[in-house]
Coordinates of all heavy atoms in Angstrom, one line a residue:
E1 N 0.8 -1.2 0.0 CA 0.0 0.0 0.0 C 0.9 1.3 0.0 O 1.8 1.4 0.9 CB -0.9 0.0 1.2 CG -1.9 1.0 1.2 CD -2.9 0.9 2.4 OE1 -3.0 -0.3 2.9 OE2 -3.5 1.9 2.7
P2 N 0.6 2.2 -0.9 CA 1.5 3.4 -1.0 C 1.8 4.1 0.3 O 2.8 4.6 0.6 CB 0.8 4.2 -2.0 CG 0.1 3.3 -2.9 CD -0.4 2.2 -1.9
K3 N 0.8 4.2 1.2 CA 1.0 5.0 2.4 C 1.9 4.3 3.3 O 2.6 5.0 4.1 CB -0.4 5.2 3.2 CG -0.9 4.0 3.9 CD -2.2 4.4 4.7 CE -2.7 3.2 5.4 NZ -3.8 3.6 6.2
S4 N 2.2 3.1 3.2 CA 3.3 2.4 3.9 C 4.6 2.9 3.6 O 5.5 2.7 4.5 CB 3.3 0.9 3.6 OG 2.0 0.3 3.9
F5 N 4.8 3.6 2.5 CA 6.1 4.1 2.2 C 6.4 5.5 2.7 O 7.4 6.1 2.5 CB 6.3 4.1 0.6 CG 6.5 2.7 0.1 CD1 5.4 1.9 -0.3 CD2 7.8 2.1 0.0 CE1 5.6 0.6 -0.8 CE2 7.9 0.9 -0.5 CZ 6.9 0.1 -0.9
L6 N 5.4 6.1 3.4 CA 5.6 7.5 3.9 C 6.9 7.6 4.7 O 7.6 8.6 4.6 CB 4.4 7.9 4.7 CG 3.2 8.3 3.7 CD1 1.9 8.7 4.6 CD2 3.5 9.4 2.8
P7 N 7.2 6.7 5.7 CA 8.4 6.9 6.4 C 9.6 6.8 5.6 O 10.6 7.5 5.8 CB 8.3 5.7 7.4 CG 7.0 5.2 7.5 CD 6.4 5.6 6.1
I8 N 9.6 6.0 4.5 CA 10.7 5.9 3.6 C 10.9 7.2 2.8 O 12.0 7.7 2.6 CB 10.7 4.7 2.7 CG1 10.8 3.4 3.6 CG2 11.7 4.8 1.6 CD1 10.5 2.1 2.9
I9 N 9.8 7.8 2.4 CA 9.8 9.0 1.7 C 10.4 10.1 2.6 O 11.3 10.9 2.2 CB 8.4 9.4 1.3 CG1 7.9 8.5 0.1 CG2 8.3 10.9 0.7 CD1 6.4 8.6 -0.2
E10 N 10.0 10.1 3.9 CA 10.5 11.1 4.8 C 12.1 11.0 5.0 O 12.8 11.9 5.0 CB 9.8 11.0 6.1 CG 8.4 11.4 6.1 CD 7.6 11.1 7.4 OE1 8.1 10.4 8.3 OE2 6.4 11.4 7.4
Q11 N 12.5 9.7 5.1 CA 14.0 9.5 5.2 C 14.7 10.0 4.0 O 15.8 10.6 4.1 CB 14.2 8.0 5.4 CG 13.8 7.4 6.7 CD 13.8 6.0 6.8 OE1 14.7 5.3 6.1 NE2 13.0 5.3 7.6
L12 N 14.1 9.7 2.8 CA 14.8 10.1 1.6 C 14.9 11.6 1.5 O 15.9 12.1 1.0 CB 14.0 9.5 0.3 CG 14.7 9.5 -1.0 CD1 16.1 8.8 -0.9 CD2 13.9 8.9 -2.0
V13 N 13.8 12.3 1.9 CA 13.9 13.8 1.9 C 15.0 14.3 2.7 O 15.8 15.2 2.3 CB 12.5 14.4 2.3 CG1 12.6 15.8 2.6 CG2 11.4 14.2 1.2
K14 N 15.1 13.7 3.9 CA 16.2 14.1 4.9 C 17.6 13.9 4.3 O 18.5 14.7 4.3 CB 16.1 13.3 6.2 CG 14.9 13.8 7.0 CD 14.8 13.0 8.3 CE 13.6 13.5 9.1 NZ 13.4 12.7 10.4
L15 N 17.8 12.7 3.6 CA 19.1 12.3 3.0 C 19.4 13.3 1.9 O 20.5 13.8 1.7 CB 19.0 10.9 2.4 CG 19.0 9.8 3.4 CD1 18.9 8.5 2.6 CD2 20.4 9.7 4.2
H16 N 18.4 13.6 1.0 CA 18.6 14.6 -0.1 C 18.9 15.9 0.4 O 19.7 16.7 -0.2 CB 17.4 14.5 -1.1 CG 17.3 13.3 -1.8 ND1 16.3 13.0 -2.7 CD2 18.1 12.2 -1.9 CE1 16.4 11.9 -3.3 NE2 17.6 11.4 -2.9
K17 N 18.3 16.4 1.5 CA 18.6 17.7 2.1 C 20.1 17.9 2.4 O 20.5 19.0 2.4 CB 17.7 18.0 3.2 CG 16.3 18.5 2.9 CD 15.5 18.9 4.1 CE 14.1 19.3 3.7 NZ 13.3 19.7 4.8
I18 N 20.7 16.8 2.8 CA 22.1 16.9 3.1 C 23.0 16.5 2.0 O 24.2 16.3 2.1 CB 22.4 16.1 4.5 CG1 22.2 14.6 4.2 CG2 21.7 16.6 5.6 CD1 22.7 13.7 5.3
G19 N 22.4 16.4 0.8 CA 23.2 16.1 -0.4 C 23.6 14.7 -0.6 O 24.4 14.4 -1.4
F20 N 22.8 13.7 0.0 CA 23.1 12.3 0.0 C 22.2 11.6 -1.0 O 21.0 11.8 -0.8 CB 23.2 11.7 1.3 CG 23.8 10.3 1.4 CD1 25.2 10.2 1.7 CD2 23.1 9.2 1.3 CE1 25.7 9.0 1.9 CE2 23.6 7.9 1.4 CZ 25.0 7.8 1.7
V21 N 22.6 10.6 -1.7 CA 21.7 9.8 -2.5 C 21.9 8.4 -2.0 O 23.0 7.9 -1.6 CB 22.0 9.9 -4.0 CG1 21.5 11.2 -4.6 CG2 23.4 9.6 -4.4
H22 N 20.9 7.6 -2.2 CA 20.9 6.1 -1.8 C 21.5 5.3 -2.9 O 22.4 4.5 -2.8 CB 19.5 5.7 -1.4 CG 19.5 4.2 -1.0 ND1 19.5 3.2 -1.8 CD2 19.5 3.7 0.3 CE1 19.4 2.0 -1.2 NE2 19.4 2.3 0.1
G23 N 20.9 5.6 -4.1 CA 21.5 4.9 -5.3 C 21.0 3.6 -5.7 O 21.3 3.1 -6.8
D24 N 20.3 2.9 -4.8 CA 19.8 1.5 -5.1 C 18.6 1.2 -4.3 O 18.5 0.2 -3.7 CB 20.9 0.5 -4.7 CG 20.7 -0.9 -5.3 OD1 20.0 -1.0 -6.2 OD2 21.2 -1.8 -4.6
I25 N 17.5 2.0 -4.6 CA 16.3 1.8 -3.9 C 15.5 0.7 -4.7 O 15.3 0.8 -5.9 CB 15.5 3.1 -3.8 CG1 16.2 4.1 -2.9 CG2 14.0 2.8 -3.3 CD1 15.5 5.5 -2.9
C26 N 15.2 -0.4 -4.0 CA 14.5 -1.5 -4.6 C 13.9 -2.2 -3.5 O 14.1 -1.9 -2.3 CB 15.5 -2.4 -5.4 SG 16.8 -3.1 -4.5
G27 N 13.1 -3.3 -3.8 CA 12.4 -4.1 -2.8 C 13.3 -4.6 -1.7 O 12.9 -4.5 -0.5
V28 N 14.4 -5.1 -2.0 CA 15.2 -5.8 -1.0 C 16.0 -4.7 -0.2 O 16.5 -5.1 0.9 CB 16.3 -6.8 -1.6 CG1 15.6 -7.9 -2.3 CG2 17.2 -6.0 -2.6
N29 N 16.0 -3.5 -0.6 CA 16.6 -2.5 0.2 C 15.6 -1.5 1.0 O 16.0 -0.4 1.4 CB 17.6 -1.6 -0.7 CG 18.7 -2.4 -1.2 OD1 19.1 -3.4 -0.5 ND2 19.3 -2.0 -2.2
T30 N 14.4 -2.0 1.1 CA 13.4 -1.3 1.9 C 12.8 -2.3 2.8 O 12.6 -3.4 2.5 CB 12.3 -0.6 1.0 OG1 11.7 -1.6 0.2 CG2 12.9 0.4 0.2
V31 N 12.6 -1.8 4.1 CA 11.9 -2.7 5.1 C 10.7 -1.9 5.6 O 10.8 -0.8 6.0 CB 12.9 -3.0 6.3 CG1 12.2 -3.8 7.3 CG2 14.2 -3.6 5.8
L32 N 9.6 -2.6 5.5 CA 8.3 -1.9 6.0 C 7.9 -2.7 7.3 O 8.0 -3.9 7.4 CB 7.2 -2.1 4.9 CG 7.5 -1.5 3.6 CD1 6.4 -1.8 2.6 CD2 7.7 0.0 3.8
G33 N 7.5 -1.9 8.2 CA 7.0 -2.4 9.5 C 5.6 -3.0 9.5 O 5.0 -3.0 8.4
E34 N 5.1 -3.4 10.6 CA 3.8 -3.9 10.6 C 2.7 -2.9 10.5 O 1.6 -3.2 10.2 CB 3.6 -4.7 12.0 CG 4.5 -6.0 12.0 CD 4.2 -6.8 13.3 OE1 3.2 -6.7 13.8 OE2 5.1 -7.6 13.6
D35 N 3.0 -1.6 10.8 CA 2.1 -0.5 10.7 C 2.7 0.5 9.7 O 3.8 0.5 9.4 CB 1.6 0.0 12.0 CG 2.7 0.7 12.7 OD1 3.4 1.6 12.2 OD2 2.8 0.4 13.9
S36 N 1.9 1.4 9.2 CA 2.3 2.4 8.3 C 3.3 3.4 8.9 O 3.8 4.3 8.1 CB 1.2 3.1 7.5 OG 0.4 3.7 8.6
S37 N 3.6 3.4 10.2 CA 4.5 4.4 10.7 C 5.9 3.9 10.7 O 6.9 4.6 11.1 CB 4.1 4.7 12.2 OG 4.3 3.5 13.0
Q38 N 6.2 2.7 10.2 CA 7.6 2.1 10.2 C 8.0 1.8 8.8 O 7.3 1.1 8.1 CB 7.6 0.9 11.1 CG 7.3 1.0 12.5 CD 7.1 -0.4 13.2 OE1 6.6 -1.3 12.7 NE2 7.6 -0.3 14.4
G39 N 9.1 2.2 8.5 CA 9.7 1.9 7.2 C 11.2 2.4 7.1 O 11.5 3.4 7.7
Y40 N 12.0 1.6 6.5 CA 13.4 2.0 6.6 C 14.1 1.7 5.3 O 13.8 0.6 4.6 CB 14.2 1.1 7.6 CG 13.5 1.2 9.0 CD1 12.5 0.3 9.3 CD2 13.8 2.2 9.8 CE1 11.9 0.3 10.6 CE2 13.1 2.3 11.0 CZ 12.2 1.3 11.4 OH 11.5 1.4 12.6
L41 N 15.0 2.5 4.9 CA 15.9 2.3 3.8 C 17.2 1.6 4.3 O 17.7 2.0 5.4 CB 16.4 3.6 3.1 CG 15.4 4.3 2.2 CD1 15.9 5.6 1.9 CD2 15.1 3.5 1.0
I42 N 17.6 0.5 3.6 CA 18.8 -0.2 4.1 C 19.8 -0.3 3.0 O 19.4 0.0 1.8 CB 18.5 -1.6 4.7 CG1 17.8 -2.5 3.6 CG2 17.6 -1.4 5.9 CD1 17.6 -3.9 4.1
D43 N 21.0 -0.8 3.2 CA 22.0 -1.2 2.3 C 22.4 0.1 1.4 O 21.9 0.3 0.3 CB 21.4 -2.3 1.3 CG 22.6 -2.8 0.3 OD1 23.7 -2.3 0.4 OD2 22.3 -3.8 -0.4
F44 N 23.3 0.8 2.0 CA 23.7 2.0 1.4 C 25.1 1.9 0.6 O 25.8 2.8 0.5 CB 23.9 3.1 2.5 CG 22.6 3.6 3.0 CD1 21.9 2.9 4.0 CD2 22.1 4.8 2.5 CE1 20.6 3.4 4.3 CE2 20.9 5.3 2.9 CZ 20.1 4.6 3.9
D45 N 25.3 0.7 0.1 CA 26.6 0.4 -0.6 C 26.8 1.4 -1.8 O 28.0 1.7 -2.0 CB 26.6 -1.0 -1.2 CG 26.7 -2.1 -0.1 OD1 27.0 -1.7 1.1 OD2 26.6 -3.2 -0.3
F46 N 25.8 1.8 -2.5 CA 25.9 2.7 -3.6 C 25.7 4.1 -3.3 O 25.7 5.0 -4.1 CB 24.9 2.3 -4.7 CG 25.1 0.9 -5.3 CD1 24.0 0.3 -6.0 CD2 26.3 0.2 -5.2 CE1 24.2 -1.0 -6.5 CE2 26.5 -1.0 -5.7 CZ 25.4 -1.7 -6.3
G47 N 25.4 4.4 -2.0 CA 25.1 5.7 -1.5 C 26.4 6.6 -1.5 O 27.5 6.2 -1.5
G48 N 26.1 7.9 -1.6 CA 27.1 8.9 -1.6 C 26.7 10.3 -2.0 O 25.5 10.5 -2.0
E49 N 27.6 11.1 -2.2 CA 27.2 12.5 -2.5 C 26.6 12.6 -3.8 O 27.1 12.1 -4.8 CB 28.5 13.4 -2.4 CG 28.2 14.9 -2.5 CD 29.5 15.7 -2.3 OE1 30.6 15.1 -2.0 OE2 29.4 16.9 -2.6
A50 N 25.4 13.3 -3.8 CA 24.6 13.4 -5.0 C 25.4 14.1 -6.1 O 26.1 15.1 -5.8 CB 23.3 14.2 -4.8
G51 N 25.4 13.6 -7.3 CA 26.1 14.2 -8.5 C 27.6 13.9 -8.5 O 28.2 14.2 -9.5
K52 N 28.1 13.2 -7.5 CA 29.5 12.8 -7.5 C 29.7 11.3 -7.4 O 30.6 10.8 -8.0 CB 30.2 13.5 -6.3 CG 30.3 15.0 -6.5 CD 31.2 15.6 -5.4 CE 31.3 17.1 -5.7 NZ 32.1 17.8 -4.7
R53 N 28.8 10.6 -6.7 CA 28.9 9.2 -6.6 C 28.5 8.6 -7.9 O 27.5 9.1 -8.6 CB 28.0 8.7 -5.5 CG 27.9 7.2 -5.3 CD 29.1 6.7 -4.6 NE 28.8 5.3 -4.2 CZ 29.7 4.4 -4.4 NH1 30.9 4.6 -4.9 NH2 29.4 3.2 -3.9
V54 N 29.1 7.6 -8.4 CA 28.8 6.9 -9.7 C 28.3 5.5 -9.4 O 28.6 4.8 -8.5 CB 29.9 6.9 -10.7 CG1 30.2 8.3 -11.1 CG2 31.1 6.2 -10.2
Y55 N 27.5 5.0 -10.3 CA 27.1 3.6 -10.2 C 28.3 2.7 -10.6 O 29.1 3.0 -11.4 CB 26.0 3.3 -11.3 CG 24.6 3.9 -11.0 CD1 24.1 5.0 -11.5 CD2 23.8 3.3 -10.0 CE1 22.9 5.6 -11.1 CE2 22.6 3.8 -9.6 CZ 22.2 5.0 -10.2 OH 20.9 5.5 -9.8
P56 N 28.5 1.6 -9.8 CA 29.7 0.9 -9.9 C 29.6 -0.1 -11.2 O 28.6 -0.3 -11.8 CB 29.6 -0.1 -8.6 CG 28.2 -0.1 -8.3 CD 27.6 1.2 -8.7
K57 N 30.8 -0.5 -11.5 CA 31.0 -1.4 -12.7 C 30.0 -2.6 -12.5 O 30.0 -3.2 -11.5 CB 32.4 -1.8 -12.9 CG 32.6 -2.6 -14.1 CD 34.1 -2.9 -14.2 CE 34.3 -3.7 -15.5 NZ 35.6 -4.0 -15.9
G58 N 29.3 -2.9 -13.5 CA 28.5 -4.2 -13.5 C 27.1 -3.9 -12.9 O 26.3 -4.8 -12.7
Y59 N 26.8 -2.7 -12.5 CA 25.6 -2.4 -11.8 C 24.3 -2.9 -12.5 O 23.5 -3.7 -11.9 CB 25.4 -0.9 -11.6 CG 24.0 -0.5 -11.0 CD1 23.8 -0.6 -9.7 CD2 23.1 0.1 -11.8 CE1 22.5 -0.3 -9.1 CE2 21.8 0.5 -11.3 CZ 21.6 0.3 -9.9 OH 20.4 0.7 -9.4
R60 N 24.1 -2.6 -13.7 CA 22.9 -3.0 -14.5 C 22.9 -4.5 -14.8 O 21.9 -5.2 -14.7 CB 22.7 -2.2 -15.7 CG 21.8 -1.1 -15.6 CD 21.6 -0.5 -16.9 NE 20.2 -0.8 -17.4 CZ 19.3 0.1 -17.6 NH1 19.6 1.4 -17.3 NH2 18.2 -0.2 -18.0
T61 N 24.0 -5.0 -15.2 CA 24.1 -6.4 -15.6 C 23.8 -7.4 -14.4 O 23.2 -8.4 -14.5 CB 25.4 -6.7 -16.3 OG1 26.5 -6.4 -15.5 CG2 25.5 -6.0 -17.6
S62 N 24.4 -7.0 -13.2 CA 24.3 -7.9 -12.1 C 22.9 -7.7 -11.5 O 22.5 -8.7 -10.7 CB 25.4 -7.7 -11.1 OG 25.3 -6.4 -10.5
L63 N 22.3 -6.6 -11.5 CA 21.0 -6.4 -10.8 C 19.8 -6.0 -11.8 O 18.9 -5.5 -11.3 CB 21.2 -5.1 -9.8 CG 22.3 -5.3 -8.8 CD1 22.6 -4.1 -8.1 CD2 22.0 -6.4 -7.8
N64 N 20.0 -6.3 -13.0 CA 19.0 -5.9 -14.0 C 17.6 -6.5 -13.7 O 17.4 -7.7 -13.9 CB 19.4 -6.1 -15.4 CG 18.5 -5.5 -16.4 OD1 17.7 -4.7 -16.1 ND2 18.8 -5.7 -17.7
D65 N 16.6 -5.7 -13.3 CA 15.3 -6.2 -13.1 C 14.3 -5.5 -14.0 O 13.1 -5.5 -13.8 CB 14.9 -6.2 -11.6 CG 14.9 -4.8 -11.0 OD1 15.0 -3.8 -11.8 OD2 14.8 -4.6 -9.8
G66 N 14.9 -4.7 -14.9 CA 14.1 -4.0 -15.8 C 13.6 -2.6 -15.3 O 12.9 -1.9 -16.0
R67 N 13.9 -2.3 -14.1 CA 13.4 -1.0 -13.5 C 14.5 -0.1 -13.1 O 14.3 1.0 -12.6 CB 12.6 -1.3 -12.3 CG 11.3 -2.1 -12.6 CD 10.5 -2.4 -11.3 NE 9.2 -2.8 -11.7 CZ 8.2 -2.7 -10.8 NH1 8.4 -2.4 -9.6 NH2 7.0 -3.1 -11.2
R68 N 15.7 -0.4 -13.3 CA 16.8 0.4 -12.8 C 17.3 1.4 -13.8 O 17.5 1.1 -14.9 CB 18.0 -0.5 -12.4 CG 17.6 -1.5 -11.4 CD 18.7 -2.3 -10.9 NE 18.3 -3.3 -9.9 CZ 18.2 -3.1 -8.6 NH1 18.7 -2.0 -8.1 NH2 17.8 -4.0 -7.9
I69 N 17.3 2.6 -13.3 CA 17.7 3.7 -14.2 C 19.1 3.9 -14.4 O 19.6 4.5 -15.4 CB 17.0 5.1 -13.7 CG1 17.0 6.2 -14.6 CG2 17.6 5.5 -12.4 CD1 15.9 6.2 -15.6
G70 N 19.9 3.5 -13.4 CA 21.3 3.8 -13.4 C 22.1 2.9 -14.4 O 21.7 1.8 -14.8
K71 N 23.3 3.5 -14.8 CA 24.2 2.8 -15.6 C 25.6 2.9 -15.0 O 25.9 4.0 -14.5 CB 24.2 3.2 -17.1 CG 22.8 3.1 -17.8 CD 22.8 3.7 -19.1 CE 21.5 3.6 -19.8 NZ 21.4 4.2 -21.1
E72 N 26.4 1.9 -15.2 CA 27.7 1.9 -14.6 C 28.5 3.2 -15.1 O 28.4 3.6 -16.2 CB 28.5 0.7 -14.8 CG 28.9 0.4 -16.3 CD 29.5 -0.9 -16.4 OE1 29.0 -2.0 -16.0 OE2 30.7 -0.9 -17.0
G73 N 29.1 3.8 -14.1 CA 30.0 5.0 -14.5 C 29.2 6.3 -14.5 O 29.8 7.3 -14.6
V74 N 27.9 6.2 -14.4 CA 27.0 7.4 -14.5 C 26.8 8.0 -13.1 O 26.6 7.2 -12.2 CB 25.7 7.1 -15.2 CG1 24.7 8.3 -15.1 CG2 25.9 6.6 -16.6
H75 N 26.9 9.3 -13.0 CA 26.6 9.9 -11.6 C 25.2 9.6 -11.2 O 24.3 9.7 -12.0 CB 26.9 11.4 -11.7 CG 28.4 11.7 -11.9 ND1 28.9 12.1 -13.1 CD2 29.3 11.8 -10.9 CE1 30.2 12.3 -12.9 NE2 30.4 12.1 -11.6
I76 N 25.1 9.4 -9.9 CA 23.8 9.2 -9.2 C 23.3 10.6 -8.8 O 23.9 11.3 -8.1 CB 24.0 8.3 -8.0 CG1 24.6 7.0 -8.4 CG2 22.6 8.0 -7.4 CD1 24.9 6.1 -7.3
H77 N 22.1 10.8 -9.3 CA 21.3 12.1 -8.9 C 20.1 11.8 -8.0 O 19.6 10.6 -7.9 CB 20.9 12.8 -10.1 CG 22.1 13.2 -10.9 ND1 22.9 14.3 -10.6 CD2 22.7 12.7 -12.0 CE1 23.9 14.4 -11.6 NE2 23.7 13.4 -12.4
K78 N 19.6 12.8 -7.4 CA 18.5 12.6 -6.5 C 17.3 12.1 -7.2 O 16.6 11.2 -6.7 CB 18.2 14.0 -5.8 CG 19.2 14.4 -4.9 CD 18.9 15.8 -4.3 CE 20.0 16.4 -3.5 NZ 19.8 17.7 -3.0
W79 N 17.1 12.5 -8.4 CA 15.9 12.1 -9.1 C 16.0 10.6 -9.4 O 14.9 10.0 -9.6 CB 15.7 12.9 -10.5 CG 16.7 12.7 -11.5 CD1 17.8 13.4 -11.8 CD2 16.5 11.7 -12.6 NE1 18.5 12.8 -13.0 CE2 17.7 11.8 -13.4 CE3 15.6 10.7 -12.9 CZ2 17.9 11.0 -14.6 CZ3 15.8 9.9 -14.0 CH2 17.0 10.1 -14.8
H80 N 17.1 10.0 -9.5 CA 17.3 8.6 -9.7 C 16.6 7.8 -8.5 O 15.9 6.8 -8.7 CB 18.7 8.1 -9.8 CG 19.4 8.6 -11.0 ND1 20.8 8.3 -11.2 CD2 19.0 9.2 -12.1 CE1 21.2 8.8 -12.4 NE2 20.1 9.3 -12.9
D81 N 16.8 8.4 -7.3 CA 16.2 7.8 -6.1 C 14.7 7.9 -6.2 O 13.9 6.9 -5.9 CB 16.7 8.5 -4.8 CG 18.0 8.1 -4.4 OD1 18.6 7.1 -5.0 OD2 18.6 8.8 -3.5
W82 N 14.2 9.0 -6.6 CA 12.7 9.2 -6.7 C 12.1 8.4 -7.8 O 11.0 7.7 -7.6 CB 12.4 10.7 -6.9 CG 12.7 11.5 -5.7 CD1 13.6 12.6 -5.7 CD2 12.1 11.4 -4.4 NE1 13.6 13.1 -4.4 CE2 12.7 12.4 -3.6 CE3 11.1 10.5 -3.9 CZ2 12.3 12.5 -2.3 CZ3 10.8 10.7 -2.5 CH2 11.4 11.7 -1.7
Y83 N 12.8 8.2 -8.9 CA 12.3 7.3 -9.9 C 12.2 5.9 -9.4 O 11.2 5.2 -9.6 CB 13.3 7.4 -11.1 CG 12.9 6.4 -12.3 CD1 11.9 6.8 -13.2 CD2 13.4 5.2 -12.2 CE1 11.6 5.9 -14.2 CE2 13.1 4.2 -13.3 CZ 12.2 4.6 -14.3 OH 11.8 3.8 -15.2
A84 N 13.3 5.4 -8.7 CA 13.3 4.1 -8.2 C 12.2 3.9 -7.2 O 11.6 2.8 -7.2 CB 14.7 3.7 -7.7
L85 N 12.0 4.8 -6.4 CA 11.0 4.7 -5.3 C 9.6 4.6 -6.0 O 8.8 3.8 -5.6 CB 11.1 5.7 -4.3 CG 10.2 5.7 -3.1 CD1 10.4 4.4 -2.3 CD2 10.4 6.9 -2.2
G86 N 9.5 5.4 -6.9 CA 8.1 5.4 -7.6 C 7.8 4.1 -8.3 O 6.8 3.5 -8.3
Q87 N 8.9 3.5 -8.9 CA 8.8 2.1 -9.5 C 8.4 1.1 -8.5 O 7.6 0.2 -8.7 CB 10.1 1.7 -10.2 CG 10.4 2.6 -11.4 CD 9.4 2.3 -12.6 OE1 9.1 1.2 -12.9 NE2 8.9 3.4 -13.1
L88 N 8.9 1.3 -7.3 CA 8.7 0.3 -6.2 C 7.3 0.4 -5.6 O 6.6 -0.6 -5.4 CB 9.7 0.5 -5.1 CG 9.7 -0.4 -4.0 CD1 10.0 -1.9 -4.4 CD2 10.7 0.0 -2.9
I89 N 6.8 1.7 -5.5 CA 5.5 1.9 -4.9 C 4.4 1.6 -5.9 O 3.4 1.0 -5.5 CB 5.4 3.4 -4.5 CG1 6.3 3.6 -3.3 CG2 3.9 3.7 -4.1 CD1 6.5 5.1 -3.0
F90 N 4.6 1.9 -7.1 CA 3.5 1.8 -8.1 C 3.9 0.7 -9.2 O 3.1 0.4 -10.0 CB 3.2 3.1 -8.8 CG 2.9 4.2 -7.8 CD1 3.8 5.2 -7.5 CD2 1.7 4.2 -7.3 CE1 3.4 6.2 -6.6 CE2 1.3 5.2 -6.3 CZ 2.2 6.2 -6.0

């Protein structure tokens, strides 16, 4: 249910305000609690400074699920996180 993602949206807003991107928002990197007040982003291996961090070599080929916007060597931007989260929610 989309409202279950509200805590994750709030976390992402906070991360982006300090210039940080997650870089790999997908089902296995989100944890939803038993009620809609709990939700967490996990696995920040690809995270880093927005616009400076790049997707690692082999990113798409090893994790290709048809929904990933990133390509190896390309800088990770905030909108990439929003796109990925939208794909996950909807």
Side-chain angles (χ1 to χ4, degrees):
E1 187 172 340
K3 74 176 183 177
S4 299
F5 286 90
L6 287 175
I8 292 172
I9 292 168
E10 291 169 359
Q11 291 171 28
L12 194 56
V13 167
K14 288 178 183 178
L15 288 173
H16 286 175
K17 279 185 180 181
I18 61 170
F20 194 90
V21 289
H22 184 277
D24 192 25
I25 296 175
C26 60
V28 297
N29 291 337
T30 56
V31 178
L32 300 175
E34 291 185 25
D35 64 52
S36 62
S37 68
Q38 300 172 320
Y40 308 94
L41 285 170
I42 61 170
D43 191 358
F44 287 80
D45 289 354
F46 299 158
E49 192 174 347
K52 292 189 178 180
R53 178 75 165 134
V54 297
Y55 288 101
K57 185 176 182 177
Y59 173 75
R60 257 186 113 114
T61 53
S62 65
L63 301 170
N64 193 3
D65 62 9
R67 295 180 165 197
R68 299 186 185 267
I69 191 88
K71 295 179 184 175
E72 65 183 58
V74 173
H75 288 100
I76 305 172
H77 297 281
K78 295 174 185 178
W79 71 267
H80 291 175
D81 283 349
W82 291 118
Y83 175 87
L85 186 58
Q87 292 293 309
L88 185 61
I89 295 171
F90 302 105

